[in-house]
Amino acid sequence: MVRCCVLYHSLDTFLAAAALDTMRRYVTWIDIALVANDAFVPLLFELILAPDSIEQLRAAAVGCVLAILQKRMVPRQKVALLRSLPVSRVFADPNLVIKVPYLVTGYAAEVLECCKKLGFTDIDSSTPVELLEEALPSVFYVMQESEEVELGNVVEFLSDYVITMRTPLQKQAVYLGHILEFIRVQICYDPAHRNNLDILDRIGREEEDQMGERRKDLLVLFCSICRLAPDVTQLFIQNLLIRALSSSEASVEEVEATFTLFYRLGETVNEEAMRTGSGLLRELVQMLLSSQFPCLSHRMVALIYLETVMRFMKFVQDNPQYIPYVLAAFLDQRGIHHPNLNVSRRAGYLFMRAVKLMKSKFVPYLDMILRGLQDTITQFTTSDWCSKNLECSVSEDGSQIFEAIGLLIGMEDVSPEKQSDYVAAFLRPLCQKLNEVLLDSKAQGLEESSAKVLTLQQIIMALNALSKGFNARLATSICPAIGIMFKQALSEVLEILIAFPNIKILRNKITSFIHRMVDILGGSIFPCLPVVLKQLLMESEVPSSHKLLPFLPVSCAFGDASRDVLEETSQYLKHTVYGHEAKGSNFAPKDMVDFLVLVNQLISKFSTSVEGILEEIFPAIATRLIVILSKDAFPSGPGCNTEEVRELQELQRILYTFLHLMANHNLSSVFLAPNCRGYLDALMQLLLLAACSHKDVLLRKLCVQIFMKLIKDWCTNCNVDDKVPGFRSFIIEKFATDCCLYSVLDKSFEFHDANTLLLFGEIVLAQKVMYEKLGSDFIIHFVSKGLQAARCPHELTEQYYQKLQANDIKALKSFYQLLVENLRQQQNGSLVFR
């Protein structure tokens, strides 16, 4: 092989290179002494070092040397091998270093690996520290000048090198400076795409995505250096800021990279250092806030500048003298008044976050803030919105400015008179614009995709956001004028719902606004509720001619219904009451979910005060739910996890939450109202099926709790005085045995599961409640038709009765679990459950 290379390297370059490539392939598994010797090594380095060496041969020789370097061996032997190679002659020639970058980085990586294994303390001649010190300048030179070397390999080497440092020495601090500069250069965008990134077209988005991937490991390396040597990093950032401010030729790409690194520096600063501004941090933040940096008109630079300001808000929080600078950054042309819509919207969102963090300290500047935002608010209400205005993310729709305003106005430090004036100043133009668009829409019609819908949507969102700064106490007691104004705004918003109830996007926004109004208007919202609930139920309204019909077939007597009867009930409702409409969009589960969430909020907030309202709307709710949820299970298996099925599952969960809230807020009398009673049986069947066999254990627990509350409300110790004829028998004959016995005997009832144990505790408690309310009727049936049918031994039955009579619910639970496990073993799966 040696002879071939010697004879043919000048006569037949291709043959010599092929011979070297063949040798490289054998190095990994042959004895290293066969190649790392006086015959091969001088020849390989002669081919590498010779000025007139052909590139093909030089590359082949480099491949062989790399194979030798990467040969696995004991660290001390590897160090001896590294010392024997005349790599220093390569490092001495910068022109040659550029030609063999992989040799330089590969050699340095092997040396570093030996350093990690042997340590950096110079104990004896075998320590490779000096070899690493010799290689690093060439590595940095390659990083800066060569385009051939793979970025990933370099970053991996530098990361390993930084990790090995403890407290950087002066020379190492210099090396860290080189690494920081390398990172800065590598994260700069290509100037060729500057305009694309400013308008963010397709090419700009692709460039952003690619740079995001490219930067990941580089910025992780940067953060490692920040934590290792904060002083070095802060000095580096300071020099970059000074360079950006002093140079008239600072490019967009360089300034953006500077702010990106500054932002990442903020991620690594601990809370104490951030609060006190340790090191150069105070000077850096002051430069950031008080200086007018170039290129801020560019979208990319402006965005990262604002993010960096927000990153250091905790410093400003403890140093309030910088608040005017922060407000200026958010409110002037750098932020909310930036010509680029994306930047302006992002600035509004970040300003809202800053207000949440420091609203009490912003109050003294409230007049200045509102003056600075007045033209923005005017523009918001005079714009004709179109889809291109809404291309920002959902969290940056422009309404965040109103949320920030509301949060500031709603502070207790602001006098009620000023609060009222401020609210009026912002609500009046919003409502005026809303009325203008609504009148025009009524005259000309309204399409769901039209610009008018987008305009109405934005106004409603702004009203909603503004209201977030106020609570019921402020709006109804301290400053009732605010409550009156929001109530008027609600009335005007409801006009949209009345005029255009079928435009789903507006219904969703209006529903969200109603939720807020419930929170801040309190009981004063009651006059609006009939209109609200009627309009939200409009598409699912029961025809008036059918509202008082006996919806259940005659065969469905209380306590006798089964799954078949429940299905019969559903079909009856579909065909008799709704006909073909039952198949349409009127039965959309998502609409019912949104509606029930609102009703649940009303129940939670007003309790029995909504009893009359519930009696009016309950028939429509019950009818709709019985039709949609007539079966106790949904399709399962491959292809069944569809959006439609998930919506049905969510509706089922909300339904039982709704019933649970009714029961626990003393509203069970609604079930017994004349126009509601006809639905009771079907709902009890739904509850029973869910309590016995629903896959969601926590939902089963809710259903058991509902039954317990109804037993307490409707049953007395005397059978004659029961409020609901037949309910006692239903509980004793169905709920007690099916839910409290058979469902827990099923082996799917897993006692090792924490949630299942919670359900079991409720089931045991339900038995105690039934015993207290239903007395001997319950215990006789439960023992004779339940425990004895399950072949429970007589002595266990006796013990169960004794535990049930006692007042120790914990002992009853423990015993009942042992009884169930005993019955499971005894039956050995032979019991046929009902």
Side-chain angles (χ1 to χ4, degrees), residues 45-84:
F45 275 91
E46 180 184 343
L47 295 174
I48 294 171
L49 294 167
D52 57 347
S53 181
I54 299 170
E55 286 304 318
Q56 187 179 8
L57 274 177
R58 177 180 284 129
V62 167
C64 288
V65 174
L66 278 174
I68 293 171
L69 288 172
Q70 294 167 356
K71 179 79 171 177
R72 292 186 179 181
M73 59 184 71
V74 176
R76 293 187 183 277
Q77 292 179 358
K78 174 65 75 72
V79 172
L81 173 64
L82 293 171
R83 289 183 185 280
S84 68

Side-chain angles (χ1 to χ4, degrees), residues 234 238 241 262 280-288:
Q234 290 175 19
Q238 185 184 50
L241 293 175
F262 195 0
L280 295 174
L281 206 58
R282 180 178 295 273
E283 294 178 40
L284 293 177
V285 177
Q286 186 172 358
M287 289 176 67
L288 175 73

Side-chain angles (χ1 to χ4, degrees), residues 59 81 96 167 176 201 245 305 470 509 626 672 674 697 699 749:
L81 173 64
L96 181 59
T167 303
L176 290 176
D201 56 11
L245 289 169
Y305 171 78
F470 307 96
K509 300 302 178 186
I626 291 169
L672 308 182
V697 174
L699 194 146
F749 197 94

Side-chain angles (χ1 to χ4, degrees), residues 208-432:
E208 267 196 345
D209 292 341
Q210 291 173 7
M211 182 56 78
E213 286 298 316
R214 178 185 178 88
R215 284 179 168 183
K216 281 182 180 178
D217 292 337
L218 287 163
L219 293 177
V220 170
L221 172 59
F222 176 78
C223 290
S224 298
I225 298 174
C226 290
R227 295 184 183 94
L228 174 70
D231 294 341
V232 174
T233 314
Q234 290 175 19
L235 180 61
F236 178 75
I237 296 294
Q238 185 184 50
N239 291 334
L240 292 181
L241 293 175
I242 293 171
R243 189 194 310 173
L245 289 169
S246 59
S247 173
S248 58
E249 299 179 356
S251 69
V252 166
E253 294 73 29
E254 290 175 340
V255 178
E256 191 276 339
T258 296
F259 286 136
T260 297
L261 295 179
F262 195 0
Y263 175 85
R264 295 291 176 168
L265 170 66
E267 287 185 341
T268 64
V269 177
N270 62 49
E271 189 170 341
E272 178 63 21
M274 180 71 77
R275 188 179 62 81
T276 60
S278 62
L280 295 174
L281 206 58
R282 180 178 295 273
E283 294 178 40
L284 293 177
V285 177
Q286 186 172 358
M287 289 176 67
L288 175 73
L289 297 174
S290 62
S291 305
Q292 289 293 331
F293 288 92
C295 308
L296 282 172
S297 60
H298 193 280
R299 180 194 68 87
M300 198 169 53
V301 178
L303 286 175
I304 188 60
Y305 171 78
L306 292 170
E307 296 286 354
T308 307
V309 171
M310 190 64 213
R311 171 62 67 185
F312 287 92
M313 280 301 296
K314 288 190 176 180
F315 169 80
V316 180
Q317 195 173 14
D318 285 285
N319 297 272
Q321 66 269 27
Y322 294 101
I323 288 178
Y325 297 109
V326 170
L327 294 176
F330 280 121
L331 299 178
D332 65 18
Q333 72 281 358
R334 291 172 288 177
I336 291 172
H337 287 88
H338 197 281
N340 186 292
L341 181 63
N342 287 275
V343 176
S344 177
R345 292 285 182 81
R346 185 64 179 171
Y349 169 73
L350 293 174
F351 178 62
M352 179 268 294
R353 286 178 50 194
V355 168
K356 284 185 174 181
L357 186 67
M358 298 183 58
K359 55 186 177 182
S360 62
K361 295 182 180 178
F362 280 2
V363 167
Y365 304 90
L366 181 57
D367 287 328
M368 183 192 79
I369 292 170
L370 297 183
R371 284 196 303 271
L373 292 174
Q374 193 61 53
D375 60 335
T376 305
I377 303 306
T378 303
Q379 182 182 5
F380 191 92
T381 54
T382 55
S383 298
D384 289 323
W385 295 90
C386 58
S387 57
K388 72 177 183 179
N389 297 127
L390 302 174
E391 290 178 355
C392 303
S393 68
V394 176
S395 63
E396 298 162 22
D397 51 42
S399 65
Q400 287 75 29
I401 295 175
F402 291 91
E403 183 173 351
I405 291 170
L407 290 169
L408 289 171
I409 295 175
M411 291 293 295
E412 292 185 358
D413 298 338
V414 183
S415 68
E417 294 77 15
K418 278 194 171 185
Q419 287 177 326
S420 179
D421 292 342
Y422 289 146
V423 171
F426 287 100
L427 275 183
R428 192 177 297 115
L430 289 172
C431 292
Q432 183 178 348

